[in-house]
Amino acid sequence: MIERIYLDETGNTLPYRNLAREACLLEAVGVGECILYLWQNQRTVVIGRNQNAWKECRMEQLEADGGHLVRRLSGGGAVYHDLGNLNFTFLVREEDYDVSRQLEVLVGAVNRLGIHAEKTGRNDVTVDGRKISGNAFYRADGHCYHHGTILIDVDKASLSAYLNVSAAKLRSKGVDSVKARVANLTDFRPGVTVEQVRQALAGAFGEVYGLSPERFPEERLDRAVLSRQEETFRSWDWRFGRKIPFTSELSERYDWGEVCLQFAVNGGIVTDVQAYSDAMDQELVAALPGLLKGCRYGGAPLAEAVGQLPQPDSGAERMVQDLQRLLVERCTG
């Protein structure tokens, strides 16, 4: 039961530092507490935990324009941030995690601005069928967060220029460009500001939880740990991962997301694997390489290995079944 709520805000716009603070707040949150962290990044592409940076982002153009690419802890797809965006993170212990309540804060905040919003799909908040907020989720060691972005007056030309969204994903949303799928709050209420959205979120946060938000005590964050986390998020290894000299690649899109499996095969044995996906279940995707490496390259043995994945709910069960079907149908030794 949430007994205390905290509001944490930062004027910093460097993405590595903001993600480091988010990670440290996740460790710091106590039982019965909920932290709402509000933050902004300048000219940044943020990719999901298991995505392929080179496929999701037009890196040369982003870097030429002085932008940043970062990889977050959570799963899901790539998003673009600039100062027309306001990012939020709800951080709680697992026993206090309530996504529906957290989404109620987002919808309530937008409604406070005189704009009718609703939760749709697997992780979106929309207005008139257009996406104004995407959400992603992360759990680790009994701590959880739910984070995302609210598009207020984002530069949609830059969003289209830097994000390389697959045609299959756009077709699944019934649009022909990422720009057509998303909307700014200013499209529905011209002149609305980031500060007004901040205030609306703080008000809705207190209203939904029935408590008055307090400022999160800065002394509860370890400065040395913050610095180490920032270096991790800034590092090449974290942002880009590793490339393998793959000999086989399988790609498919499902209603839970896209998946791409790359196999390096020697003598009929899988010697290395990379798994890329915008699926929300980042842990399941991250576990695939460890299960598939060392298997005989063929549909049946690879599908059998995937069957060892934990399937705690119907969503995970469906993902496993789809992956097994893909391997059986498309993997031939």
Side-chain angles (χ1 to χ4, degrees), residues 155-169:
D155 181 357
K156 287 192 279 187
S158 292
L159 181 150
S160 297
Y162 301 136
L163 291 183
N164 191 28
V165 181
S166 74
K169 183 170 185 175

Side-chain angles (χ1 to χ4, degrees), residues 79-331:
V79 293
Y80 174 68
H81 291 174
D82 65 17
L83 298 185
N85 247 13
L86 180 61
N87 308 309
F88 61 85
T89 312
F90 294 93
L91 306 106
V92 295
R93 291 292 184 94
E94 192 161 12
E95 55 265 44
D96 298 318
Y97 193 50
D98 187 342
V99 173
S100 62
R101 198 177 192 189
Q102 292 148 202
L103 285 169
E104 189 181 342
V105 174
L106 302 181
V107 172
V110 177
N111 289 343
R112 279 172 169 246
L113 297 167
I115 304 168
H116 178 67
E118 58 185 348
K119 192 261 183 188
T120 59
R122 60 175 182 159
N123 62 326
D124 295 341
V125 175
T126 61
V127 176
D128 291 345
R130 298 176 69 193
K131 179 177 175 179
I132 56 95
S133 176
N135 297 256
F137 313 93
Y138 180 69
R139 296 173 184 255
D141 303 321
H143 296 72
C144 303
Y145 73 52
H146 157 205
H147 64 180
T149 182
I150 296 178
L151 282 69
I152 301 165
D153 194 19
V154 68
D155 181 357
K156 287 192 279 187
S158 292
L159 181 150
S160 297
Y162 301 136
L163 291 183
N164 191 28
V165 181
S166 74
K169 183 170 185 175
L170 291 173
R171 283 195 302 270
S172 74
K173 305 296 182 181
V175 297
D176 57 10
S177 74
V178 64
K179 191 160 58 174
R181 185 184 171 220
V182 302
N184 283 313
L185 290 181
T186 53
D187 294 336
F188 307 101
R189 182 185 161 188
V192 68
T193 66
V194 171
E195 183 55 34
Q196 287 173 327
V197 177
R198 284 181 183 270
Q199 293 175 7
L201 280 166
F205 186 38
E207 182 178 13
V208 169
Y209 284 88
L211 298 165
S212 296
E214 306 172 47
R215 292 290 169 186
F216 186 78
E218 190 69 24
E219 60 271 18
R220 285 176 57 178
L221 298 179
D222 188 314
R223 307 309 300 180
V225 175
L226 273 168
S227 180
R228 288 196 297 271
Q229 288 279 18
E230 182 177 342
E231 287 307 307
T232 295
F233 283 110
R234 187 189 294 272
S235 69
W236 193 97
D237 285 349
W238 174 257
R239 291 187 298 137
F240 295 101
R242 63 191 180 94
K243 284 186 173 181
I244 67 170
F246 61 91
T247 53
S248 175
E249 179 178 276
L250 307 177
S251 297
E252 191 56 82
R253 175 157 192 87
Y254 301 98
D255 58 2
W256 47 262
E258 289 184 284
V259 63
C260 175
L261 300 175
Q262 296 177 345
F263 296 91
V265 182
N266 187 9
I269 301 299
V270 177
T271 57
D272 208 350
V273 183
Q274 274 284 39
Y276 298 110
S277 179
D278 62 354
M280 300 303 294
D281 191 338
Q282 59 88 16
E283 291 183 0
L284 188 151
V285 176
L288 284 170
L291 286 173
L292 298 176
K293 189 174 179 179
C295 289
R296 181 168 63 83
Y297 184 74
L302 292 172
E304 182 179 355
V306 169
Q308 300 173 38
L309 286 165
Q311 300 171 50
D313 53 45
S314 60
E317 183 178 351
R318 184 171 184 182
M319 284 181 67
V320 168
Q321 290 172 352
D322 286 339
L323 289 168
Q324 289 178 311
R325 191 177 304 110
L326 175 67
L327 291 164
V328 168
E329 291 175 355
R330 306 259 292 275
C331 264

